[in-house]
């Protein structure tokens, strides 16, 4: 029970702390459910990249979609991160959090003309184009604005990332990027269109990869393509390798080898004369966050025990959506040798999918007890919703012995402010 995936969370005198702050104090001040992030965890995750890539010139653009809280973004920006964004909303968040436009990359298969115009006007570093129609659209927008668009073309390398089907993005049947075989055509078109400066190439093969072999395969294929394109006169000077490095969710999962990842990059694309960009999301934020929840009821059914907690699938959808596994620990440290009883840990939402864990061996838990879902900093709050008219989950950032609510829980009145009653229904 004392083995946590990152520095940042640990028991002090039998009470789980985030750095120097007792989670009980956060629950008392902010209520539950609440995400709690540590600066120490974010910094450690950043350092893992910095150490592995020491001596290699890479730009790290944090993929905001993993956790788009402004304070989290700013913490990473302060450490040196740029931003990888997939919507104009994320671009504006990156800018609001202090990431300079010159360190922002815009990815995504379905950018609207309004989004492309906003990106050009902001002067971002690079737009990663994913289709021929997007090339045409961007050219038209660039000409209209009189701003040349620095672009990379995202290539689908047709490599299986060997991860969950919903987050595997680099097979030819996936919706992302331009087919390997059509890359030459795409660059020819980009070079012929006004307003486009094709200077980069991009891939992103998927998320939650624990092995580096699929990366090596994809980057190797890409390197061959870069050589061909360069030989045919495409002035490539940038290579964007996407994100995707996974994190161990279970203590028995081995963490990916960052040094092997860095070597795979050096050995495949290191001699192309291109500046390398990485777009990690999950691996920078997952372990730095937990979801704090309070047990409402302990219900002993005919066949099993249910721990019914005040967090639900609207707050953390990963188990329902990706069959994801999160470690669940009590905030009050269980006695050594406490008996374990299998329980299903469920939320109050009215569907069976609202189950965080099935038949999980748990120490004794009583109503009112606080529990923590670990490794919840990525794709947790960022994917939260208000399903069942539950308020959007709150978020707290800890630094040393200080903590701050970095997204407050909306009041019921707040939640109604976007709605209106049509005239014909008004009294
Ligand atoms: C989602 C995504 C990322 C980040 O992926 P992680 O698995 O969170 O590292 C990076 N680049 C692109 C284009 C993405 O869509």
């Amino acid at each position: 029970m004392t083995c946590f995936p990152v520095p940042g969370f640990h028991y002090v005198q039998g009470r789980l702390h985030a750095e120097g702050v007792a989670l009980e104090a956060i629950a008392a001040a902010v209520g539950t459910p609440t995400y709690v992030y540590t600066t120490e965890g974010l910094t450690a995750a950043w350092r893992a990249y910095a150490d592995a890539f020491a001596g290699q010139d890479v730009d790290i653009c944090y993929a905001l979609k993993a956790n788009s809280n402004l304070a989290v973004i700013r913490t990473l920006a302060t450490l040196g991160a740029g931003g990888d964004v997939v919507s104009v909303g994320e671009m504006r968040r990156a800018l609001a959090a202090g990431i300079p436009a010159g360190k922002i990359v815009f990815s995504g298969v379905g950018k609207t003309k309004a989004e492309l115009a906003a990106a050009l006007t902001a002067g971002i570093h690079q737009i990663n184009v994913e289709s021929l129609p997007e090339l045409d659209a961007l050219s038209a927008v660039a000409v209209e604005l009189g701003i040349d668009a620095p672009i990379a073309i995202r290539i689908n390398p047709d490599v299986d990332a060997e991860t969950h089907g919903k987050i595997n993005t680099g097979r030819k049947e996936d919706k992302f990027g331009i087919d390997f075989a059509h890359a030459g055509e795409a660059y020819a078109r980009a070079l012929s269109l006004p307003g486009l400066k094709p200077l980069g190439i991009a891939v992103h093969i998927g998320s939650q990869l624990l092995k580096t072999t699929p990366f090596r395969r994809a980057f190797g294929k890409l390197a061959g393509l870069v050589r061909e394109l360069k030989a045919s006169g495409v002035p490539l000077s940038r290579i964007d390798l996407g994100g995707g490095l996974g994190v161990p969710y279970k203590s028995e999962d081995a963490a990916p080898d960052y040094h092997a990842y860095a070597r795979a990059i050096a050995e495949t694309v290191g001699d192309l004369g291109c500046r390398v960009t990485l777009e990690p999301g999950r691996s920078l934020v997952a372990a730095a966050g937990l979801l704090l929840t309070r047990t409402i009821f302990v219900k002993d059914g005919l066949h099993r025990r249910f721990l019914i907690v005040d967090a639900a699938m609207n707050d953390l959808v990963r188990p329902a959506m990706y069959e994801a596994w999160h470690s669940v620990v009590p905030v009050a440290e269980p006695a050594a040798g406490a008996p374990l009883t299998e329980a299903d840990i469920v939320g109050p939402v009215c569907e069976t999918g609202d189950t965080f864990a099935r038949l999980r061996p748990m120490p004794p838990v009583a109503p009112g007890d606080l529990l923590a879902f670990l490794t919840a900093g990525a794709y947790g709050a960022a994917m939260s919703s208000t399903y069942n008219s539950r308020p959007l989950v709150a978020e707290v950032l800890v630094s040393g012995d200080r903590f701050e609510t970095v997204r407050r829980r909306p009041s019921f009145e707040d939640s109604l402010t976007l709605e209106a009653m049509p005239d014909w229904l008004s009294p």
Side-chain angles (χ1 to χ4, degrees):
M1 281 294 171
T2 48
C3 171
F4 287 91
V6 279
F9 298 112
H10 46 255
Y11 287 106
V12 178
Q13 292 172 345
R15 293 290 183 269
L16 189 56
H17 281 58
E19 302 194 32
V21 180
L23 290 174
E24 283 166 353
I26 293 175
V30 185
T32 51
T34 293
Y35 280 93
V36 179
Y37 313 122
T38 69
T39 303
E40 200 179 325
L42 295 170
T43 307
W46 177 263
R47 290 271 145 74
Y49 276 94
D51 288 353
F53 286 95
Q56 259 187 83
D57 233 1
V58 302
D59 296 320
I60 298 183
C61 291
Y62 165 57
L64 266 68
K65 74 174 193 273
N67 185 323
S68 51
N69 184 280
L70 286 179
V72 169
I73 303 167
R74 178 159 346 225
T75 301
L76 292 168
T78 307
L79 292 164
D84 171 55
V85 304
V86 291
S87 70
V88 74
E90 282 191 354
M91 182 186 84
R92 295 181 65 177
R93 272 180 184 274
L95 293 168
I99 298 181
K103 292 175 81 169
I104 296 176
V105 173
F106 197 160
S107 307
V109 289
K111 307 176 199 78
T112 64
K113 282 194 167 180
E115 288 182 310
L116 293 169
L120 288 179
T121 308
I124 69 165
H125 177 65
Q126 177 173 303
I127 298 177
N128 289 358
V129 175
E130 300 217 14
S131 65
L132 298 181
E134 187 183 346
L135 280 179
D136 295 342
L138 180 56
S139 167
V141 173
V143 168
E144 199 170 308
L145 291 173
I147 305 172
D148 277 347
I151 65 164
I153 294 183
R154 177 165 172 184
I155 302 297
N156 183 325
D158 192 21
V159 164
D160 188 345
E162 298 166 32
T163 182
H164 189 280
K166 286 186 188 167
I167 51 174
N168 209 333
T169 57
R171 301 162 299 182
K172 60 181 181 304
E173 64 271 28
D174 296 324
K175 70 179 176 181
F176 299 95
I178 287 177
D179 291 332
F180 211 77
H182 296 137
E185 257 167 73
Y187 279 98
R189 182 166 189 94
L191 286 165
S192 75
L193 287 169
L196 301 184
K197 272 194 301 185
L199 37 73
I201 192 162
V203 285
H204 169 72
I205 61 170
S207 196
Q208 184 52 15
L209 278 78
L210 291 172
K211 286 182 281 176
T212 56
T213 35
F215 286 121
R216 187 176 276 276
R217 227 175 295 141
F219 302 163
K221 281 181 94 168
L222 194 68
L225 182 58
V226 169
R227 287 193 186 89
E228 279 174 36
L229 290 168
K230 279 190 155 192
S232 70
V234 183
L236 293 176
S237 59
R238 300 179 186 172
I239 184 160
D240 179 339
L241 300 176
L245 214 52
V247 294
Y249 284 94
K250 296 184 178 176
S251 50
E252 63 264 34
D253 287 344
D257 181 343
Y258 280 62
H259 289 274
Y261 178 66
R263 270 199 308 281
I265 290 172
E267 289 166 15
T268 51
V269 305
D271 63 350
L272 296 174
C274 290
R275 178 132 193 120
V276 174
T277 297
L278 303 178
E279 302 170 346
R282 183 192 313 269
S283 49
L284 286 177
V285 292
L290 57 71
L291 174 58
L292 184 60
T293 185
R294 198 179 285 282
T295 310
I296 304 175
F297 296 120
V298 177
K299 173 167 128 174
D300 281 308
L302 206 50
H303 297 290
R304 54 178 83 184
R305 162 169 292 184
F306 294 97
L307 304 182
I308 303 169
V309 300
D310 67 0
M313 63 189 289
N314 69 298
D315 305 307
L316 175 64
V317 79
R318 298 189 64 259
M321 187 140 158
Y322 311 114
E323 293 93 40
W325 198 97
H326 285 272
S327 205
V328 188
V329 301
V331 166
E333 189 173 19
L340 300 180
T341 309
E342 283 183 344
D344 283 13
I345 304 170
V346 302
V349 161
C350 297
E351 60 173 274
T352 306
D354 188 22
T355 297
F356 293 113
R358 288 182 203 282
L359 297 175
R360 183 69 61 87
M362 291 293 293
V365 175
D369 284 0
L370 291 168
L371 298 175
F373 292 90
L374 303 183
T375 330
Y379 304 107
M383 294 178 84
S384 60
S385 76
T386 58
Y387 186 40
N388 276 216
S389 286
R390 293 167 50 84
L392 212 52
V393 63
E395 297 173 273
V396 162
L397 179 65
V398 174
S399 178
D401 54 11
R402 293 176 300 174
F403 72 93
E404 197 73 59
T405 301
V406 292
R407 181 170 87 187
R408 72 177 171 84
R409 198 183 312 282
S411 67
F412 175 70
E413 288 69 29
D414 288 335
S415 72
L416 295 187
T417 54
L418 298 177
E419 295 178 37
M421 200 58 77
D423 280 350
W424 64 88
L425 292 175
S426 297

